[in-house]
């Protein structure tokens, strides 16, 4: 993985478990349990993602167990027996070149834990999960400090004398800045480095 911003392709699982639309209910439950995942993409043709079956889709059957026949409050998924009937469609997906921030926003906005990763024509390339997006916070303090020095401070000549220290992902910058207006610019640039938990500034101004 290279300098920020990381993309989905840097952290996604390239070998993803998936199912066809005819996959039966119990097979889907068994796959989720076997692979310890919360959802699986549903594929059509040669691998185009047409939907996703999640634990929430499957739970409707248990939630409405014992409900009277014909009850209008019971969703169709409660009676579904195959992936095609259970799936949420169209699938919420992401492209491999999307940034991690973009993927995180999609997950938060659509209330999903996993996203199928697709190419330009919707073919499955992998899957990215919430835990995958958190992998950037496993970067070592030394690696983060090196990126801040070379790819942030190194591109701003007026900050070459600044010091950088990183502890548990928290970056502390020290030194003298020639212009107070550079403070928010510098802080924003450092905060954009993947793996940074917080930024603390111990700076003075001329």
């Amino acid at each position: 993985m290279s300098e920020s911003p990381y993309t989905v392709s840097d952290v996604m699982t390239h070998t993803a478990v998936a199912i066809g639309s005819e996959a039966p209910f119990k097979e889907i439950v068994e796959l989720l349990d076997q692979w310890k995942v919360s959802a699986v993409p549903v594929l059509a043709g040669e691998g185009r993602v047409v939907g996703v079956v999640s634990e929430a889709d499957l739970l409707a059957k248990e939630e409405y167990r014992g409900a009277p026949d014909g009850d209008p409050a019971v969703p169709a998924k409660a009676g579904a027996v195959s992936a095609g009937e259970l799936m949420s469609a169209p699938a919420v997906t992401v492209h491999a070149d999307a940034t991690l921030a973009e993927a995180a926003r999609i997950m938060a906005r659509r209330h999903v834990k996993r996203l199928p990763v697709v190419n330009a024509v919707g073919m499955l390339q992998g899957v990215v999960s919430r835990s995958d997006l958190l992998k950037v916070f496993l970067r070592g303090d030394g690696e983060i400090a090196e990126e801040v020095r070379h790819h942030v401070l190194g591109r701003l000549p007026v900050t070459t004398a600044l010091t950088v220290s990183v502890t548990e992902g928290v970056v502390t910058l020290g030194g003298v800045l020639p212009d107070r207006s550079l403070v928010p610019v510098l802080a924003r640039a450092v905060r954009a480095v993947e793996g940074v938990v917080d930024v603390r500034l111990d700076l003075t101004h001329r």
Side-chain angles (χ1 to χ4, degrees):
M1 293 188 284
S2 59
E3 68 176 273
S4 301
Y6 286 5
T7 64
V8 167
S9 64
D10 291 318
V11 300
M12 73 184 197
T13 300
H14 291 266
T15 303
V17 58
I19 55 176
S21 61
E22 299 303 316
F25 187 100
K26 286 196 69 172
E27 179 183 316
I28 301 168
V29 176
E30 289 166 356
L31 277 174
L32 295 183
D33 180 66
Q34 177 185 348
W35 292 92
K36 308 304 178 189
V37 295
S38 58
V40 287
V42 180
L43 307 183
E46 297 181 357
R48 184 170 55 87
V49 179
V50 293
V52 172
V53 175
S54 68
E55 292 169 332
D57 296 320
L58 296 161
L59 277 173
K61 189 173 291 294
E62 186 63 31
E63 181 180 356
Y64 293 95
R65 184 180 299 281
D69 290 342
D71 186 340
V74 178
K77 288 183 181 182
V81 296
S82 68
E85 297 168 332
L86 287 158
M87 70 183 186
S88 298
V92 180
T93 62
V94 69
H95 292 291
D97 59 358
T99 66
L100 302 192
E102 290 169 340
R105 283 193 290 270
I106 293 171
M107 287 184 185
R109 192 180 305 122
R110 302 302 294 270
H111 305 289
V112 296
K113 299 177 182 179
R114 295 165 60 83
L115 292 170
V117 183
V118 299
N119 63 16
V121 294
M123 305 292 281
L124 183 66
Q125 293 185 302
V127 171
V128 66
S129 67
R130 290 175 176 174
S131 60
D132 291 329
L133 300 184
L134 292 174
K135 287 177 183 176
V136 291
F137 293 105
L138 298 176
R139 297 183 76 190
D141 289 342
E143 183 181 355
I144 293 171
E146 188 73 5
E147 181 169 339
V148 170
R149 291 190 189 100
H150 285 82
H151 299 301
V152 178
L153 303 187
R155 292 173 179 174
L156 298 172
V158 295
T159 66
T160 53
L162 295 185
T163 61
V164 179
S165 63
V166 184
T167 304
E168 296 295 323
V170 177
V171 178
T172 300
L173 298 179
V176 180
L177 279 178
D179 187 343
R180 183 186 295 271
S181 66
L182 289 172
V183 172
V185 175
L186 187 57
R188 186 166 57 250
V190 174
R191 195 168 281 114
V193 172
E194 300 287 6
V196 170
V197 174
D198 197 10
V199 180
R200 295 174 182 172
L201 304 177
D202 184 18
L203 303 170
T204 56
H205 315 96
R206 292 175 185 167

